[in-house]
Amino acid sequence: MFVDVNNVSRSCAKTLLLLLNGCCILVALCTFIFAVVDTKILQQYGEDRANGTFTGDIIIIVACMLLICLASFGSVGAMKGDVKILYFYIGFLMIMVILEMMIAIYVSLQRYGLEFRVSEWLREDFFRNTTDDIVHNDLWDNLQITYECCGLNGPDDYEAVRKQISLSCCPRAFRARTTYARQLLYRSCVESSTFYNDGCEDEILYALRSDANWLVGVAITSFWFEAACMLLAMWVANNSRKEVSVYVQSIRY
């Protein structure tokens, strides 16, 4: 019993190419969801400060959709063994890799700039002279509950501006349903110092850096997946073309 090594290797290459395309689609879907969620998170920093980063998220969403379509296109070419589709797939994939590198650089620069803008905005907003500014208080309540932080650099900042520690620094008191329970829990929180101890500036900047690092990691992962897809697609296309050539020559003779 003889085993056709070429057919077996070609089948393995097609299967592996389909798996890699599936991984590319999965990565693109995860990145798509991340970018959509991130656009909503960026709204709390204001349109002026997050404008470039918001644009970067939109570009990422479009790139993810293109990658999903391209991976599906390549999967069809692999299943059919169509040489033309595979060569088109390789060409588009090369263009996609270049675009992703440019997008990664653009997003990284925008994230880096956003850190400075957000840091400056937080310091200016926290220490500005406010008394009963509802918008200001709601903003900091939202930030402190979301990022589990208190003040700009810590709860001592409230003492510096001659204010009581914010109610949102004590999560149990902030979420209490009645005024009486809120007062009791807040008093207990302040007396036992069980409020958040980390400053909001560090927590927010850490979250921004983590997002940037995650996006760079995704870009690097996608690059290796796509590079492997290009090599496999090229190998499958060349073997399919040779098989067609051998078949045509055998018919002629």
Side-chain angles (χ1 to χ4, degrees):
M1 182 177 179
F2 296 96
V3 178
D4 192 337
V5 178
N6 289 330
N7 286 333
V8 172
S9 58
R10 186 166 55 252
S11 298
C12 290
K14 287 182 180 180
T15 303
L16 187 56
L17 181 57
L18 290 173
L19 289 174
L20 287 173
N21 278 323
C23 290
C24 287
I25 292 173
L26 182 61
V27 170
L29 285 174
C30 292
T31 310
F32 178 89
I33 295 170
F34 168 85
V36 171
V37 173
D38 193 56
T39 54
K40 297 181 180 180
I41 295 175
L42 290 175
Q43 292 176 358
Q44 66 184 349
Y45 303 132
E47 294 183 359
D48 295 336
R49 283 171 291 274
N51 185 34
T53 312
F54 184 83
T55 304
D57 281 338
I58 298 299
I59 295 173
I60 289 172
I61 291 172
V62 174
C64 288
M65 295 174 65
L66 289 175
L67 182 57
I68 292 172
C69 294
L70 185 57
S72 301
F73 180 70
S75 298
V76 172
M79 287 187 292
K80 291 185 176 181
D82 192 306
V83 177
K84 291 183 179 179
I85 292 179
L86 288 172
Y87 280 144
F88 274 118
Y89 168 69
I90 294 167
F92 288 135
L93 204 55
M94 288 180 179
I95 296 172
M96 193 69 194
V97 168
I98 295 172
L99 287 176
E100 285 178 351
M101 291 177 62
M102 295 174 64
I103 292 170
I105 294 171
Y106 174 79
V107 171
S108 297
L109 291 175
Q110 289 299 327
R111 292 272 170 179
Y112 189 71
L114 180 63
E115 289 183 28
F116 285 98
R117 292 192 296 271
V118 168
S119 180
E120 184 180 358
W121 163 63
L122 288 172
R123 294 176 184 178
E124 181 182 350
D125 190 81
F126 185 84
F127 289 110
R128 69 190 178 92
N129 187 19
T130 58
T131 52
D132 295 324
D133 191 337
I134 297 176
V135 176
H136 172 82
N137 293 334
D138 288 344
L139 170 66
W140 279 94
D141 284 342
N142 183 43
L143 291 175
Q144 288 172 157
I145 288 295
T146 301
Y147 293 98
E148 298 183 355
C149 54
C150 185
L152 182 67
N153 298 303
D156 292 339
D157 288 338
Y158 281 101
E159 185 179 350
V161 294
R162 297 179 181 180
K163 291 182 179 180
Q164 291 183 336
I165 291 177
S166 175
L167 182 67
S168 56
C169 291
C170 301
R172 292 182 61 193
F174 186 77
R175 295 188 178 97
R177 296 184 179 181
T178 63
T179 303
Y180 180 70
R182 192 177 298 118
Q183 291 174 351
L184 287 179
L185 290 171
Y186 176 74
R187 188 183 309 163
S188 174
C189 173
V190 173
E191 290 175 355
S192 59
S193 299
T194 54
F195 39 74
Y196 296 133
N197 290 310
D198 297 323
C200 289
E201 182 179 14
D202 289 338
E203 292 298 315
I204 292 172
L205 293 181
Y206 175 78
L208 291 175
R209 292 189 193 106
S210 298
D211 291 345
N213 292 335
W214 189 86
L215 287 172
V216 171
V218 167
I220 294 172
T221 303
S222 296
F223 171 79
W224 287 112
F225 277 138
E226 289 161 4
C229 286
M230 281 190 285
L231 292 174
L232 282 170
M234 196 173 297
W235 191 89
V236 172
N238 288 335
N239 276 271
S240 298
R241 188 177 63 180
K242 289 179 181 178
E243 185 180 359
V244 171
S245 299
V246 170
Y247 177 74
V248 171
Q249 289 178 0
S250 63
I251 291 176
R252 288 179 180 177
Y253 296 104

